Amino acid sequence: MLTGAVACGPEGLAGRPRAPRDAVRVEPADARREVAVDAPLSVRVPGGRLESVRVVRTRGAAEAPVAGRISADGMSWRPVERGLAPAAEYRVDAVALDGHGRRIARRTTFRTRVPDERFLAYSAPEHRATVGTGMIVSLEFNREVTDRAAVERAVEVTTAPRVEVVGHWFGGERLDLRPERYWKPGTEVTVRLRLRDVRAAPGVHGLQDRTFAFTVGREQTSVVDAVAHTMEVRRDGERLATLPITAGTDESPTYNGKMVVTEMFETTRMDGRSVGFDGEYDIPDVPHAIRLTSSGTFLHGNYWAGDAFGERNVSHGCVGLRDAKGGSSLAPAGWFFDRTLIGDVVEVRRSDDRTVAADNGLGGWNLDWKTWRAGSALG
């Protein structure tokens, strides 16, 4: 009896196609979990050629295709962008033709690791707000950012009418963005935070993919003269009023420079212990309080300073306007409060103190454009 020869070759047993897992090889391996985000993703065939490769990434309910290219010889596929998204499931569908023209299909899946750390940004101004022309977009991160260029690149600011907006970093946890000059009234600003999966630092990736927008209202700037004890309020270039004020004493002078309104309170408590004046004052009902710095400088109503307004400086560093106890819309403080927007600029001049720091509140307008641009991570 004659027995036929059995031969092994690249196709496996003669005349039989390879199993899909041998004919189409995918990395990471099928059903793997906890795949590192820097693991390579590839599809290859030991013989024949790839006909098609489709890779889909799923996070939550959202699916997205992963772009890639088949090599010129048809034997491998790789993604266009390196790196995998964290906390995602990947599905790979590949179709190959073996050396005999037989079509072989293979599907694999794998999951990537959830990073140990996630980061997000707290933003200002609020979505759909109408703000003053001095508003600065400010992002504060809950984790220190070491790859600042990657994070800044993921923040997109668009405006109508169009104007260049540049970021400036204050340390690793805050990014502010502004144009060269105050916004033009009526400008529509949209900020897109494409931070999801962005690597901010080793092991730290972003969570957010959101958009907020705001509108720039009328132009209003106010200039405080600490020597003349006045504040001139100008709206769209026209003087609205010159109000008598009291500023900081020689021992506790008011900062000089441009400060942006960030918060407004009909009434608030001011306790000297919170800003280093232990026991010197504790006023539970300060009316018409407008925050100018994060360190505690306010422009606020004052009902206890007597005849100091327009005559002398008696405050602990704030700017005071005459008001009634409980607040009055007819008093200078109430009048100004009712005409103020978050994002309005109050500039103090001729005070016996230094210029406010650029990161104390929204003090970035005190930096010239060259210096501001130098604080961007994007060159």
Side-chain angles (χ1 to χ4, degrees):
M1 184 192 314
L2 295 175
T3 58
V6 177
C8 291
E11 296 287 326
L13 294 177
R16 298 182 184 176
R18 289 176 177 269
R21 67 187 180 195
D22 297 322
V24 181
R25 300 176 182 177
V26 181
E27 290 293 337
D30 187 28
R32 272 198 62 188
R33 299 293 182 265
E34 298 294 310
V35 174
V37 294
D38 58 355
L41 171 59
S42 67
V43 182
R44 60 187 178 86
V45 293
R49 64 181 177 84
L50 288 166
E51 189 175 62
S52 67
V53 176
R54 183 172 185 265
V55 181
V56 176
R57 179 184 65 241
T58 302
R59 299 196 63 191
E63 290 190 349
V66 176
R69 298 190 184 95
I70 295 175
S71 61
D73 62 8
M75 299 189 71
S76 66
W77 174 96
R78 298 198 188 288
V80 172
E81 296 183 358
R82 299 184 62 180
L84 302 171
E89 180 177 86
Y90 283 78
R91 184 179 73 245
V92 180
D93 287 295
V95 178
L97 297 176
D98 67 12
H100 297 282
R102 291 174 294 213
R103 186 170 282 106
I104 301 170
R106 187 178 186 204
R107 167 174 288 186
T108 65
T109 62
F110 63 90
R111 290 182 179 272
T112 53
R113 181 179 304 143
V114 177
D116 295 332
E117 303 282 359
R118 306 292 273 169
F119 84 95
L120 52 82
Y122 302 99
S123 60
E126 294 183 355
H127 181 46
R128 296 181 178 173
T130 297
V131 302
T133 54
M135 189 68 214
I136 293 175
V137 177
S138 188
L139 304 175
E140 293 197 29
F141 303 101
N142 68 324
R143 305 283 183 187
E144 183 175 6
V145 175
T146 57
D147 194 344
R148 299 179 191 177
V151 172
E152 187 174 343
R153 197 175 293 115
V155 178
E156 177 186 344
V157 182
T158 56
T159 69
R162 187 174 178 180
V163 63
E164 182 185 20
V165 178
V166 174
H168 185 100
W169 286 89
F170 296 105
E173 297 181 2
R174 176 174 165 185
L175 172 65
D176 284 6
L177 303 104
R178 69 167 176 88
E180 181 176 3
R181 299 176 181 85
Y182 297 152
W183 302 99
K184 181 180 178 180
T187 301
E188 301 285 343
V189 184
T190 301
V191 183
R192 295 177 175 86
L193 304 180
R194 301 295 184 246
L195 298 174
R196 186 182 291 277
D197 304 335
V198 172
R199 180 183 181 275
V204 180
H205 293 78
L207 274 175
Q208 292 163 304
D209 188 354
R210 72 180 184 89
T211 299
F212 65 96
F214 60 92
T215 301
V216 180
R218 82 290 176 275
E219 179 188 23
Q220 180 171 296
T221 57
S222 302
V223 176
V224 172
D225 187 325
V227 173
H229 315 295
T230 60
M231 180 172 72
E232 183 180 80
V233 184
R234 302 187 73 86
R235 170 80 62 85
D236 296 324
E238 300 293 327
R239 186 177 68 85
L240 287 185
T242 299
L243 305 174
I245 62 96
T246 182
T249 65
D250 291 341
E251 292 75 24
S252 305
T254 305
Y255 287 123
N256 283 295
K258 298 170 183 175
M259 292 169 265
V260 175
V261 174
T262 56
E263 291 182 294
M264 299 175 64
F265 306 96
E266 294 279 355
T267 305
T268 192
R269 177 181 179 180
M270 290 188 176
D271 185 346
R273 288 172 294 185
S274 66
V275 289
F277 294 106
D278 190 21
E280 293 192 33
Y281 62 89
D282 185 0
I283 306 169
D285 58 350
V286 177
H288 296 130
I290 298 170
R291 181 182 287 277
L292 300 179
T293 71
S294 53
S295 64
T297 306
F298 279 78
L299 192 159
H300 62 79
N302 182 315
Y303 60 82
W304 56 88
D307 61 356
F309 305 100
E311 299 296 331
R312 59 189 183 278
N313 295 327
V314 298
S315 86
H316 287 81
C318 291
V319 176
L321 289 169
R322 183 181 288 110
D323 210 337
K325 187 175 176 63
S328 169
S329 61
L330 301 178
W335 179 91
F336 183 72
F337 189 92
D338 291 342
R339 288 161 177 79
T340 296
L341 291 174
I342 300 295
D344 283 347
V345 176
V346 176
E347 181 178 359
V348 177
R349 299 176 181 173
R350 298 208 294 170
S351 177
D352 190 22
D353 200 356
R354 65 188 184 278
T355 298
V356 65
D359 61 347
N360 189 354
L362 301 179
W365 296 110
N366 295 293
L367 299 180
D368 62 45
W369 189 233
K370 181 179 180 181
T371 303
W372 183 267
R373 291 179 66 94
S376 169
L378 302 181

